[in-house]
Amino acid sequence: MCDDRLCSDCQEYCEQCDERYCPYCYERHACANTQDPCYRDPYEGRPVREPFTFGLEIEVDGNHDTDMLRNHRLIAGWCPDGSLHHDGSLEYQSEPMTMSQLTEIRRLVERIATDTDNTLSGGHMHISRTGRQTPARWYWALEALDGTQCEALNMRHMTDTRWCELIHGDYCGKDTAINDTHRHTIEFRTFGPWHHDTAGRLDAAVHYMHAMWRFFQKFPVPKLKTRDIRAMSRVAATQAINDTNATTAGRRRI
């Protein structure tokens, strides 16, 4: 944004790249003249379904193979992102996926490489919303994980990053671990970037989210105790991590 001092009412907010701009600097705004398509919500126009679906926001910080991602059938759209500052950076949004497509999206992530370290990027995950998938339930699930589990699941809410703080009762915005502002999904901003170095954690992350989603679906609100959510979360994380490690070891032996 330009250096002019303006009140918040005089500023506009760009939903594509999370940046603010004013009438005086719009032409210099990152999204103003881009030839890339605007963000399209992959869930828009689709009926809300009970079965578990997940989607990824894959932020790639720096130059990379854009054609590989843009032409992939699981990628719904892409746009610039204000948190990424290297030339060539883009955010890609996947289609809503079922568990049957996990292998395909992981293989795509394994091929993502950039010319930077990707430390500023994220890999937010959306899961299908139902009445039993509440942010408070998910808060206690994430709160129960320890540092080793979070690292194995590519989660970063235990670190000092400001983009995904896990605060009880704070489930709204661009700096929360759990963002409850979307109509069709709950967004989990805790996940770090997805690329060739972290692709090995994607299976465990999705399987953990799937296990907790199914657990919550079994119990009407508010018929779950905090201690039960925390206990189930630790078990689900351990199981997902161990199963993924065993599968990865098996692939290496083949």
Side-chain angles (χ1 to χ4, degrees):
M1 182 175 170
C2 68
D3 295 327
D4 289 338
R5 296 175 64 87
L6 298 172
C7 67
S8 58
D9 290 339
C10 299
Q11 299 171 2
E12 298 291 335
Y13 179 76
C14 178
E15 295 184 354
Q16 291 189 48
C17 69
D18 297 341
E19 287 285 313
R20 291 190 178 277
Y21 62 89
C22 70
Y24 306 108
C25 67
Y26 178 74
E27 293 303 322
R28 286 182 281 146
H29 177 61
C31 299
N33 299 306
T34 180
Q35 297 302 310
D36 293 329
C38 294
Y39 171 73
R40 176 178 67 83
D41 182 356
Y43 289 83
E44 193 63 40
R46 296 180 180 227
V48 177
R49 298 177 295 174
E50 279 288 301
F52 173 83
T53 60
F54 70 98
L56 298 181
E57 295 178 16
I58 304 173
E59 298 177 359
V60 187
D61 194 12
N63 291 312
H64 58 282
D65 187 348
T66 57
D67 289 339
M68 176 189 71
L69 287 158
R70 291 178 180 182
N71 295 327
H72 197 278
R73 74 183 192 93
L74 291 181
I75 299 300
W78 55 88
C79 62
D81 187 285
S83 65
L84 307 176
H85 304 295
H86 291 100
D87 290 341
S89 300
L90 285 173
E91 175 195 295
Y92 299 86
Q93 303 90 28
S94 80
E95 296 282 359
M97 296 174 286
T98 65
M99 294 299 290
S100 65
Q101 294 164 302
L102 176 54
T103 298
E104 185 177 2
I105 191 65
R106 173 179 44 78
R107 287 174 177 170
L108 174 63
V109 169
E110 288 173 343
R111 298 166 59 194
I112 299 175
T114 73
D115 55 2
T116 70
D117 59 10
N118 255 290
T119 55
L120 295 177
S121 55
H124 311 154
M125 186 183 300
H126 291 248
I127 64 168
S128 47
R129 173 187 292 281
T130 76
R132 299 184 181 188
Q133 305 298 322
T134 70
R137 284 181 162 188
W138 279 101
Y139 167 84
W140 291 113
L142 297 189
E143 187 271 342
L145 302 177
D146 62 30
T148 300
Q149 291 172 320
C150 285
E151 183 177 0
L153 297 172
N154 201 30
M155 292 184 180
R156 54 187 183 170
H157 59 267
M158 291 191 68
T159 68
D160 59 358
T161 177
R162 70 182 183 89
W163 298 109
C164 56
E165 294 183 274
L166 184 63
I167 301 174
H168 191 214
D170 186 1
Y171 312 125
C172 177
K174 297 293 186 179
D175 55 359
T176 60
I178 305 168
N179 182 13
D180 192 40
T181 62
H182 298 281
R183 179 180 176 185
H184 300 297
T185 66
I186 299 177
E187 178 188 15
F188 293 83
R189 299 177 58 83
T190 176
F191 290 101
W194 297 113
H195 49 70
H196 67 291
D197 290 334
T198 60
R201 307 175 198 173
L202 183 57
D203 282 17
V206 175
H207 277 287
Y208 165 78
M209 299 297 287
H210 185 213
M212 292 306 300
W213 190 93
R214 292 177 63 190
F215 176 67
F216 291 144
Q217 284 298 102
K218 294 177 181 178
F219 300 95
V221 177
K223 294 186 177 181
L224 262 181
K225 296 184 182 299
T226 298
R227 67 171 181 267
D228 295 330
I229 295 175
R230 299 180 82 253
M232 178 61 187
S233 179
R234 290 190 290 267
V235 170
T238 299
Q239 188 68 48
I241 294 165
N242 289 345
D243 287 351
T244 298
N245 289 341
T247 302
T248 300
R251 286 200 299 263
R252 289 172 178 169
R253 288 195 295 269
I254 296 176

